[in-house]
Amino acid sequence: MSVFEHPSFDNHEKVLFATDEKTGLKAIISVHSTARGPSCGGCRFWSYDSSSDALQDALRLSQGMSYKNVMADLPIGGGKSVIMKPDGPFDRDALFQAFGRAVDALNGNYITAEDVGVSPADMVSVHKQTAHVTGLPEGKAASGDPSPVTAEGVFRGIRACVKRATGSEDMTGIRVAVQGAAGHVGSYLCEHLSKAGAELIIADMNVEALQKHVDNFGAVIVDKEAIYDQDADVFTPCALGSIINPDTINRLKVKMVAGAANNQLATREMGAELQKRGILYAPDYVINAGGIINVMGEIRGDFDPSWVKCKLVGLEATLGEILDRAENEGRPSNVVADEMARARLEEAAAAKAAAA
Ligand code: NAD
């Protein structure tokens, strides 16, 4: 398996492969950039088919974190970690403690938090071995589960896209197809959308867990494979990445794609394909930055909900700037966002080099 030649390798500063035979830990910690501060990003716990898949995820996700953090104007860099879920039984606390030791070995170059498959309780296990952890349920400035704030940011992003498409922020009757609706972010988001008057079409691997949305919000459940085919206004991916790909793109009937999942586009070119089809795309790492903003409150050591709120409003403004530029220049929104993020990162790297 190549690393430096890997298609997703983007001069990442560090990639740490960590194993621990006793606990079964197999983890990859990827530090993309520390130009603006210590790298920060969640830890994903997932059943990967291979270590190549895990590496691909870690490299792409950590680059995405650099882009996300710089676009949210946070004084942190981009990093991410993945833990390959062991095949057989395992001691979860011991496994996450072993991961904590790996995080600690990076001496604060990487600060971890929750991502898919990881809970605040897991972060407590990590915290037994390292101070470089956030998303803790208790303690000074603890920010807890970032998902509600992510959901609020995504909701604001969807509403801003709806306003562009319809001329009004009114969500009444807007049909939103939510993939991964039973998840942490998906659930909070369904609540926001329903309160705002949207009609929900929902899918998840965990079909039983969707029933609460049927009972509470009158949502309609569809098969997880059918979520792409829905006659809806917005497609909202809140599960995993690469779901906008050559197999799914022609099935979309929506006017907008806006959701929480990281790396929604399987390739960069998918952004142009969406644009060709007249589908407005809200770049994922811009509208899903609520969680990292919440975590930043904890890193600052003085968690302040009003600062978090201000930052969420800032996300909407940044999204507006990207979509304006994309429209005026006739270019895909993901390309415009990437360019803006890279320019800001290069500026930070130059400033860091000059100060060294
Ligand atoms: P989660 O694990 O709680 O939820 C994901 C949901 O997706 C689960 O209910 C799962 O059953 C479902 N799912 C998985 N594969 C599916 C499929 N093929 N079809 C339908 N449903 C499927 O994770 P989460 O914390 O809610 O995060 C969701 C997404 O948002 C992830 O991509 C994550 O990286 C991203 N994200 C999360 C946060 C956060 O604060 N939690 C922040 C930024 C980005």
Side-chain angles (χ1 to χ4, degrees), residues 44 68 115-117 146-147 150 179-180 182-185 204-206 224 238-239 260-262 288 291:
R44 181 167 289 193
K68 183 185 309 203
D115 190 54
V116 176
S147 308
T150 302
Q179 180 181 49
H184 286 94
V185 180
D204 201 286
M205 302 245 280
N206 184 354
K224 70 178 171 58
C238 294
N262 286 310
N288 74 10

Side-chain angles (χ1 to χ4, degrees), residues 44-46 61 65 68 80 114-118 145-151 154 178-188 203-207 209-210 223-225 227-228 237-241 243 259-264 284 287-292 294-295:
R44 181 167 289 193
F45 187 56
W46 193 250
L61 289 165
M65 285 310 298
K68 183 185 309 203
K80 199 90 179 185
E114 296 91 348
D115 190 54
V116 176
V118 175
D145 179 8
S147 308
V149 186
T150 302
V154 173
V178 185
Q179 180 181 49
H184 286 94
V185 180
S187 290
Y188 288 110
D204 201 286
M205 302 245 280
N206 184 354
V207 180
L210 289 175
D223 182 79
K224 70 178 171 58
E225 274 311 307
I227 195 74
Y228 303 103
C238 294
L240 294 177
I243 35 69
N262 286 310
N263 297 332
Q264 290 167 27
D284 44 18
I287 69 163
N288 74 10
I292 194 71
N294 198 55
V295 161

